[in-house]
Amino acid sequence: MKKQWLVGVGIAALALVPTAPAQAGKIEMQVYRSIDRQEPQTVRCPEKVTLMEQPQPYREGSYAINGSANLSQLADRFAIAAADDFSVTWVGTLKPAYQKCKATARIVKNDGEAYLTHSYLRLRFNGGKVYLILDMTGMSDANQLTTAILRKGVRNGNPFWSWGGTD
């Protein structure tokens, strides 16, 4: 009887442990106009861009993060323009409202918190195109190894990726 009671208590305790999947985090990127394009009345640029990243479920020895960029309000026809072991660049054609935008962007907030470190995601607006860059240069994991790009592509017209490292 005592053994059954302990098993019951153990099952009840496990039920109290949160098992909800990790929530997707918002990556807020601030857009900075080019110094030679300061006429905001005639040239329209977005003020900020929001991307999404979500940790994959934990697995012993490593971690991975899935990301996506729904940029359909800014641009069309995204494709991978360049990729190597450490970075990937997607390019899309800016919509008419943003065609003349000349600017860059970097991460300023991650899940509502100020982001004060290396911006591994960047944007460039230039020549009627927008470039999204995922760059692991200078990024390291807990074992001082460069984080790796695990997946990259375009889904439903928008960039997606996964990156990760060891823990």
Side-chain angles (χ1 to χ4, degrees):
M1 182 69 145
K2 190 174 185 181
K3 190 175 186 181
Q4 288 175 335
W5 181 81
L6 286 174
V7 170
V9 169
I11 291 170
L14 285 174
L16 297 175
V17 175
T19 57
Q23 295 295 315
K26 290 182 181 180
I27 305 289
E28 185 178 315
M29 301 182 79
Q30 179 69 46
V31 176
Y32 302 95
R33 293 174 174 272
S34 175
I35 198 165
D36 62 343
R37 288 281 172 102
Q38 295 185 21
E39 59 279 343
Q41 303 84 354
T42 59
V43 176
R44 186 171 170 206
C45 291
E47 290 182 27
K48 67 180 181 176
V49 175
T50 302
L51 311 178
M52 301 301 286
E53 284 195 323
Q54 179 176 10
Q56 291 181 8
Y58 177 76
R59 70 176 72 78
E60 190 172 343
S62 68
Y63 66 92
I65 312 248
N66 296 329
S68 63
N70 183 351
L71 300 174
S72 58
Q73 74 280 10
L74 300 175
D76 296 316
R77 299 187 297 274
F78 274 93
I80 293 177
D84 61 30
D85 290 343
F86 302 108
S87 92
V88 58
T89 301
W90 292 267
V91 63
T93 302
L94 286 167
K95 292 204 172 177
Y98 298 110
Q99 280 282 308
K100 294 182 181 179
C101 179
K102 185 175 180 185
T104 63
R106 67 175 174 85
I107 302 170
V108 293
K109 288 185 182 176
N110 187 344
D111 220 8
E113 299 289 324
Y115 189 84
L116 304 173
T117 188
H118 173 72
S119 186
Y120 59 93
L121 287 163
R122 296 184 304 281
L123 288 167
R124 287 193 327 252
F125 299 82
N126 197 19
K129 305 280 186 190
V130 61
Y131 301 85
L132 171 63
I133 302 111
L134 170 65
D135 189 2
M136 298 291 103
T137 304
M139 294 284 290
S140 62
D141 63 19
N143 294 304
Q144 300 303 305
L145 301 170
T146 300
T147 51
I149 297 172
L150 306 171
R151 285 184 326 135
K152 57 194 173 285
V154 176
R155 182 183 310 123
N156 300 324
N158 288 294
F160 74 90
W161 61 89
S162 294
W163 65 274
T166 63
D167 62 3

